[in-house]
Amino acid sequence: MDALNLLFENNREWAEKIAQEQPGFFEQLSKQQNPEYLWIGCSDSRVPANEIVNLPPGEVFVHRNIANVVVHTDLNCLSVIQYAVDVLKVKHIIVCGHYGCGGVTAAMEPDSHGLIDNWLRHIRDIYRFHISELDAIEDPAKRKDRLCELNVIEQVANVCNTTMVSNAWKAGQELTVHGWIYRLEDGLLQDLDVTSIASGKL
Ligand code: CO
């Protein structure tokens, strides 16, 4: 069986299993989605949103890009946030980074990586904002881990500062923004406890 046939085979088995366990699941879900969470994460294949939090289809609205960056002018990400906040009325936006992020690693290297350097520039800016803290960390692995955390914290701030989120808060909409980080080595999530920062104080 070639690799792509395997995917179709897997899909049929997966759909059959769910249909057996929960008759009417797909029919019901096809009528509407009502997720409580917007997940903004890294494109890394090892950090799949639904699997990590063990939630089925329909529960998580997802945006992923390299190094989970929220750029003030990125219409793709902003449109996802708008739909999630204004239409789906999600209650939580989770920015989830991960240790060992290739995008963060590349941003710390002096060499050029082509077009993606323009995207990674946003991470380099974060390094610049926190240069004294980061340069004081002698262990390069620990310095990289800290930049992964600071990247999540900065992206939480960026989410909070979008017009959609600040308007939702002004209107009294129930919405919380969280910063989490995932460790590839043990599959565990950690809350960076920046949720309070997201209460409109930035
Ligand atoms: Co990554």
Side-chain angles (χ1 to χ4, degrees), residues 137-152:
I137 303 172
E138 281 180 23
D139 180 344
K142 288 205 172 85
R143 195 183 313 132
K144 199 190 296 176
D145 280 357
R146 183 58 183 152
L147 184 55
C148 289
E149 293 172 355
L150 289 169
N151 180 39
V152 170

Side-chain angles (χ1 to χ4, degrees), residues 42 44 67 98 101-103:
C42 183
D44 194 308
H98 66 105
C101 182

Side-chain angles (χ1 to χ4, degrees), residues 82-102:
Q82 184 188 8
Y83 192 76
V85 171
D86 291 352
V87 181
L88 297 173
K89 305 256 190 257
V90 297
K91 293 197 171 56
H92 302 275
I93 299 177
I94 298 154
V95 176
C96 184
H98 66 105
Y99 296 116
C101 182

Side-chain angles (χ1 to χ4, degrees), residues 5 14 23 27-29 41 43 54 70 72 93-94 99 111 122 144 169:
N5 278 338
W14 170 80
E27 198 191 353
Q28 193 66 29
L29 197 57
S43 297
N54 199 19
V70 177
H72 299 308
I93 299 177
I94 298 154
Y99 296 116
D111 9 316
H122 297 292
K144 199 190 296 176
W169 278 332

